[in-house]
Amino acid sequence: MATSLGNVDDTDNGYTENGPSKSVGGQNNGTYFRNQGTKCTTSAGASRRPRAKDRNPDRVASLRGLIVSVACISGAVLVIALSDLRPTSRWIPAAPAVQPAVLLSILSGTFNAAQTLALSEAVKISWWTSAASGTDLSSLHYIWNKGEWKSVQGLRLALKNSRVLHIFLAALATIISGVADGPLLQRSSNTVLGELVGDVVWNWHLAQEISGQMVGNVDREVPANVSVFELVQSATQGWYANKTIQDTGYPLCDGICPVTLRMPGVAVSCGSEDRSLDLVAPEQANTTLFSINYNRFDADQDIPVLMIESRFAKMIGLGPTCQALMQIDRCNYTAAMVLYHLVFYRGVVTMDLTQTPRVDGLTPSKGDSSSTLDGQPAGPLAALGWMADYYLKSSATMSHEQNTTEYFWETQGVLANQYINFEEHFDCVPLFRSPTEYIQRSIHEVMFRIGWDAPKDNSTAAIKFESVIQQRTPSTIYQSNYTTMAVAISIMVITALATATLLWPGGFFGIKRPVSLSPIEIAVVLADAINGLGRTWPELSRREYKDVQGLVRELHSQKIRVNLGWSVQTGSGKLSFLTETTEATGSQEGA
């Protein structure tokens, strides 16, 4: 015979909720503990308890935790993906700028809170599911404790149960996620200096010819045989002074806009040769060490050509003699249409010097021919010859006294002094660097300036067209690290799955009424099982264990099984909760 927990005799004290305890039909309808004021009913009292609703709040709470977890994972992925390569000032359309790291911190904190809630619900449901399916008391303890965290030996004993192992791993994943996912998610989005790329539509109006009316007239009485107009002088002065080229009259580029434009220019072809000179020889007195000269002539098919020759001593032999190696560069320039590589930036136009203008067809001009008569319009090569005569011509000559080793040199022109190579050691005469590349860049820039500033009225060949250019604006942007994001999201997904699998398949739908891990509710389940040992709680507490592990070892073989009702049946070490309440005809029930 086993006594129902509800049959606690308190009639000696004569205390009930509404007066002395009464029995109806041999049934005790309920006994009240004076000191707690808490009612613990017997099976008879349970028979009048209302049936549990189908909607279990425990299931709702666990579902909410899992749904919030999934939402946080999805939100973190969206924040990292949407902010990638977006400007920090407006990465969220039509919304104030919020740093992704702030949103990721909120999402990771919410995820960890939701997982803690879901895990507590999962542990609670696992405890009651295990109790309902039949298990020992030690397993219930380890489920409640999420394993054993104080000793390795206790952990080994706890993990022998597969359900305890599952709960332990879920709890461990929740701890790791709480520590790692926040920092990892925040490191998945960094602020870097980058550029924004977009398309801008521009309308152009560009000259397609540099005519004689723009350049000047042939005049063999003046240097370079041409009297140039203001346009050529202004463009050449702007190049020499490195004056900014304005893009007024065109849409303002709010960033960096690389553009390729087809405009009048020159085609270039160069050749080079080396010559050795014995500077000590008497006939080499007053030898040229550096020079830049030009000549204009008609080549095959009467195509006018401007040839610019550069000579410079690049190496001097050491020893009793002064042996020089002279390099001679000759470049031929022909009028042509070329593709200029330009960069527009906030109202300023610059040539991309890293790219040479590409030739798109020759356009020889009659004004550049050597047979053009005085007073006739000159062509673009005549303008470049004028530039070479006034700005490029330079020379450096050496002289020495016969039968001596004393050398003297003098320079004329800016470039002769500019291209002395002071990095190389020389004993007798100075060495020089090549001016050829500088001359080519200068001629390309002067031709572009003339075409850019050329008047675009009906008297000149000009075209209007529309083009789409790419605008690049320097800005601080967010750059996503998808590797770090993958690690963080993997930890979060594993944690969510570990918790979710604790609820399915049987536990989630097997609990038909609200349950808890309250000591009061657990006491109702375990009291008879503990008393079935024939020992009272005070005896166990005083004599046979010093901590909970001692109690677990004492009771580990005690088996129980409950059916989630409110009536209690005990017997032979078994304890069972009825699934549905039944009527009893006495204060005690048989096993």
Side-chain angles (χ1 to χ4, degrees):
M1 298 292 292
T3 304
S4 171
L5 182 62
N7 283 335
V8 179
D9 188 4
D10 198 26
T11 56
D12 292 342
N13 296 325
Y15 180 83
T16 64
E17 183 178 22
N18 297 310
S21 174
K22 297 181 180 180
S23 296
V24 179
Q27 295 184 1
N28 189 341
N29 293 326
T31 303
Y32 293 81
F33 295 94
R34 177 184 299 172
N35 54 346
Q36 292 93 352
T38 303
K39 185 177 180 180
C40 183
T41 65
T42 62
S43 59
S47 63
R48 292 188 297 273
R49 186 177 181 87
R51 185 182 299 275
K53 296 181 180 180
D54 293 337
R55 184 179 180 184
N56 190 336
D58 296 326
R59 291 203 296 266
V60 174
S62 59
L63 269 179
R64 287 174 179 172
L66 293 177
I67 292 173
V68 171
S69 299
V70 174
C72 290
I73 294 174
S74 303
V77 174
L78 286 176
V79 168
I80 294 172
L82 293 178
S83 64
D84 191 21
L85 303 180
R86 295 291 184 88
T88 57
S89 59
R90 56 181 189 275
W91 74 274
I92 303 178
V98 181
Q99 293 184 2
V102 175
L103 298 179
L104 293 173
S105 177
I106 295 174
L107 290 172
S108 65
T110 305
F111 172 83
N112 294 327
Q115 279 301 296
T116 301
L117 171 64
L119 179 63
S120 65
E121 294 297 323
V123 170
K124 178 174 62 179
I125 292 176
S126 296
W127 194 94
W128 284 94
T129 302
S130 297
S133 60
T135 186
D136 54 73
L137 291 174
S138 63
S139 295
L140 292 180
H141 165 75
Y142 289 131
I143 292 174
W144 169 83
N145 198 43
K146 305 179 187 68
E148 177 55 51
W149 304 84
K150 294 182 179 180
S151 66
V152 177
Q153 181 179 4
L155 180 62
R156 290 175 180 174
L157 293 175
L159 299 185
K160 290 181 179 180
N161 185 298
S162 60
R163 187 180 292 271
V164 175
L165 175 61
H166 193 169
I167 293 175
F168 173 79
L169 293 177
L172 184 63
T174 302
I175 294 173
I176 295 175
S177 177
V179 174
D181 61 6
L184 288 175
L185 283 179
Q186 294 181 50
R187 287 185 62 86
S188 299
S189 180
N190 303 307
T191 303
V192 297
L193 182 61
E195 60 182 17
L196 306 179
V197 180
D199 292 334
V200 180
V201 178
W202 277 23
N203 296 311
W204 301 96
H205 190 192
L206 299 174
Q208 295 295 289
E209 178 186 355
I210 299 178
S211 63
Q213 290 80 5
M214 303 179 191
V215 175
N217 296 323
V218 176
D219 186 355
R220 288 182 172 81
E221 299 296 327
V222 297
N225 297 331
V226 62
S227 177
V228 298
F229 294 156
E230 181 181 348
L231 174 63
V232 176
Q233 296 184 32
S234 175
T236 309
Q237 289 178 2
W239 152 75
Y240 191 75
N242 197 25
K243 185 180 178 181
T244 299
I245 305 176
Q246 301 292 334
D247 67 343
T248 55
Y250 296 98
L252 180 64
C253 177
D254 193 30
I256 299 175
C257 299
V259 181
T260 300
L261 293 180
R262 186 178 185 269
M263 296 177 61
V266 291
V268 186
S269 61
C270 295
S272 179
E273 65 173 307
D274 291 338
R275 292 180 183 178
S276 60
L277 295 175
D278 184 2
L279 300 179
V280 180
E283 64 272 15
Q284 297 298 336
N286 299 321
T287 298
T288 298
L289 299 176
F290 180 92
S291 69
I292 298 176
N293 293 293
Y294 71 96
N295 183 29
R296 188 154 46 90
F297 59 91
D298 292 340
D300 296 339
Q301 301 179 357
D302 295 329
I303 296 178
V305 174
L306 173 68
M307 188 270 291
I308 297 181
E309 179 186 83
S310 304
R311 294 172 178 255
F312 56 96
K314 64 180 180 180
M315 185 173 63
I316 301 296
L318 301 178
T321 62
C322 190
Q323 300 290 329
L325 184 63
M326 185 75 67
Q327 179 173 326
I328 303 174
D329 294 338
R330 296 185 180 91
C331 293
N332 294 331
Y333 297 87
T334 306
M337 293 298 294
V338 299
L339 299 177
Y340 287 106
H341 303 283
L342 309 174
V343 176
F344 289 72
Y345 179 71
R346 297 184 181 276
V348 177
V349 185
T350 57
M351 293 184 62
D352 186 356
L353 300 179
T354 62
Q355 303 185 66
T356 302
R358 182 162 51 89
V359 177
D360 193 36
L362 298 179
T363 57
S365 172
K366 293 181 180 181
D368 291 324
S369 175
S370 58
S371 61
T372 303
L373 300 178
D374 283 0
Q376 295 295 317
L381 296 184
L384 295 179
W386 179 87
M387 166 197 169
D389 192 90
Y390 280 91
Y391 290 93
L392 300 180
K393 281 185 67 175
S394 300
S395 64
T397 57
M398 179 208 72
S399 62
H400 67 88
E401 296 183 3
Q402 193 172 3
N403 299 325
T404 68
T405 57
E406 295 183 3
Y407 297 87
F408 307 93
W409 66 87
E410 62 179 351
T411 61
Q412 293 181 348
V414 176
L415 296 184
N417 292 309
Q418 181 178 339
Y419 280 90
I420 294 178
N421 190 358
F422 292 102
E423 296 179 358
E424 295 291 338
H425 174 75
F426 51 89
D427 290 335
C428 52
V429 294
L431 303 179
F432 295 85
R433 294 177 290 110
S434 172
T436 302
E437 184 178 351
Y438 168 77
I439 293 173
Q440 291 183 18
R441 291 201 309 265
S442 300
I443 288 179
H444 284 309
E445 182 176 340
V446 169
M447 286 294 293
F448 170 74
R449 285 176 178 268
I450 294 174
W452 184 260
D453 294 335
K456 305 171 184 65
D457 53 26
N458 295 330
S459 62
T460 62
I463 61 171
K464 295 182 179 180
F465 62 95
E466 181 182 275
S467 67
V468 178
I469 66 173
Q470 191 178 72
Q471 178 175 290
R472 300 176 179 176
T473 306
S475 174
T476 54
I477 62 175
Y478 293 116
Q479 187 177 62
S480 298
N481 187 330
Y482 290 101
T483 301
T484 306
M485 182 201 74
V487 175
I489 296 300
S490 298
I491 294 175
M492 298 171 72
V493 170
I494 292 174
T495 303
L497 289 176
T499 305
T501 51
L502 284 174
L503 301 171
W504 275 275
F508 187 78
F509 297 101
I511 305 299
K512 302 299 183 182
R513 68 172 182 84
V515 293
S516 71
L517 292 181
S518 168
I520 299 175
E521 188 171 9
I522 294 177
V524 173
V525 178
L526 300 182
D528 284 329
I530 298 297
N531 291 334
L533 295 174
R535 304 172 186 179
T536 62
W537 285 98
E539 290 177 346
L540 291 171
S541 176
R542 288 195 303 268
R543 300 179 183 178
E544 301 193 22
Y545 76 98
K546 296 181 179 180
D547 55 20
V548 69
Q549 289 300 317
L551 184 59
V552 169
R553 287 192 294 271
E554 176 68 24
L555 303 178
H556 75 278
S557 61
Q558 181 73 5
K559 303 291 185 178
I560 70 167
R561 182 174 182 179
V562 303
N563 277 330
L564 302 180
W566 286 91
S567 296
V568 180
Q569 292 182 341
T570 63
S572 303
K574 300 286 186 179
L575 183 145
S576 176
F577 268 27
L578 299 178
T579 303
E580 295 182 358
T581 57
T582 58
E583 295 291 340
T585 57
S587 61
Q588 295 180 341
E589 295 177 331

